[in-house]
Amino acid sequence: MTFRLLCISLLCIACLSACTTSPTGRKTIKLYSSSQLANMGTQAFDSMKSEQKVSSKTVENEYVRCIATHIAQQVPDNVFAGEWEVVVFDEDQINAFALPGGKIGVYTGLLNVAENQHQLAAVIGHEVAHVIAEHGNERMSSGTLINLGMEATNQILQSNQVGQTPMIMSAIGLGVQVGVQLPFSRTHESEADIIGLDLMAKAGFDPQQSVNLWQNMAKASGGQRQPELLSTHPAPDSRIKMLQKNMKGAMQSYKLSKNKPNCRP
């Protein structure tokens, strides 16, 4: 079997054996097991705790843990059934993240933009949604298949002695980034917004505050951001429109929620 046929066969087998569906019904490919992702998440989180400054402020930690705990209670057991580890990192960046294996990290800079528990819940819900939808698995799987496909293309070009191979491969790489990987990431962000909106609402946080959060985010960026075409994240205006589109269902879940948290900074 030629290298080309071998690569095509491997790609087909991988795609057929790893096809699955995201929580919103989108077709996805995931090549890695949940346990593999959980181990990676735990290792990455432990490394971050050793390399970055962790907040020692009791009030900050209790506030973030209060919100994160209510959000985590909405996570299905098949995603993670244990106790989530929540860490506040003492850094100015406006960011948060969640990792497979039940890990949540929040940077203190975010607390200056998320003005209340509902807005912080919108961010944490969004990050936890990435874990629920296994976006990390999907990105890694996509990268594996893309690398395999590009290696096959490179081998074909070289075997046929096609001139300017490096230039062609560079162009293909750019095409993959703009045409596949970046829109793919924007899809993940939008999907996490939808799932996160539902999470925060069921946890008893006001989903309407997610709109206020992104208005604050837009102000914090000072208008300095890449064009949406070349960004892994949708523009704040796009996110707000999408959130508003899904607000009716979220508000119904919020009204039905018996638990209304009172987390205070």
Side-chain angles (χ1 to χ4, degrees):
M1 180 181 290
T2 66
F3 182 84
R4 179 183 183 182
L5 290 176
L6 175 61
C7 286
I8 292 174
S9 299
L10 290 173
L11 285 169
C12 290
I13 292 171
C15 291
L16 289 173
S17 63
C19 282
T20 184
T21 304
S22 76
T24 61
R26 182 175 54 83
K27 296 296 182 182
T28 68
I29 294 177
K30 297 170 186 174
L31 302 178
Y32 301 90
S33 69
S34 297
S35 61
Q36 286 176 309
L37 268 292
N39 287 335
M40 293 178 194
T42 299
Q43 290 177 18
F45 201 64
D46 289 343
S47 177
M48 293 181 72
K49 287 189 295 182
S50 65
E51 295 173 0
Q52 300 183 25
K53 184 180 179 180
V54 175
S55 173
S56 59
K57 296 180 180 179
T58 302
V59 174
E60 280 184 351
N61 280 277
E62 290 181 351
Y63 173 58
V64 172
R65 287 196 184 101
C66 177
I67 297 168
T69 298
H70 286 288
I71 294 292
Q73 288 172 350
Q74 308 305 314
V75 177
D77 287 344
N78 66 327
V79 174
F80 185 75
E83 183 177 350
W84 287 69
E85 182 180 4
V86 183
V87 173
V88 180
F89 293 97
D90 191 6
E91 293 190 17
D92 291 335
Q93 62 174 294
I94 304 169
N95 206 357
F97 63 89
L99 297 173
K103 311 297 181 183
I104 296 174
V106 174
Y107 292 96
T108 53
L110 177 61
L111 303 181
N112 298 321
V113 178
E115 297 176 337
N116 52 51
Q117 62 170 355
H118 308 285
Q119 292 183 21
L120 186 55
V123 179
I124 295 176
H126 169 93
E127 298 303 331
V128 171
H130 281 304
V131 176
I132 293 174
E134 293 189 287
H135 288 155
N137 193 339
E138 196 176 353
R139 284 194 295 270
M140 288 177 60
S141 301
S142 173
T144 298
L145 295 176
I146 287 171
N147 288 337
L148 183 58
M150 290 185 67
E151 178 59 27
T153 302
N154 189 38
Q155 291 291 332
I156 294 167
L157 290 172
Q158 290 182 354
S159 66
N160 292 330
Q161 298 182 343
V162 177
Q164 305 298 321
T165 297
M167 186 182 298
I168 294 173
M169 290 304 297
S170 177
I172 292 174
L174 179 61
V176 167
Q177 182 185 30
V178 176
V180 178
Q181 291 175 317
L182 293 184
F184 198 47
S185 296
R186 289 197 295 272
T187 297
H188 285 172
E189 290 300 313
S190 296
E191 191 168 61
D193 279 342
I194 294 172
I195 299 170
L197 190 69
D198 184 60
L199 278 178
M200 69 177 296
K202 288 180 177 178
F205 296 103
D206 183 1
Q208 294 178 110
Q209 284 291 317
S210 62
V211 172
N212 300 96
L213 167 75
W214 284 107
Q215 290 171 340
N216 293 345
M217 285 287 196
K219 293 177 183 177
S221 69
Q224 301 299 315
R225 69 186 315 276
Q226 293 186 75
E228 186 169 359
L229 176 65
L230 297 176
S231 172
T232 58
H233 290 59
D237 286 348
S238 298
R239 298 187 101 138
I240 289 171
K241 289 178 182 177
M242 189 278 299
L243 289 167
Q244 290 172 331
K245 182 180 179 181
N246 290 273
M247 193 60 67
K248 183 177 180 179
M251 286 303 297
Q252 290 177 343
S253 296
Y254 175 59
K255 291 175 181 178
L256 290 173
S257 175
K258 296 179 180 179
N259 181 41
K260 295 295 188 292
N262 185 26
C263 304
R264 296 183 179 181

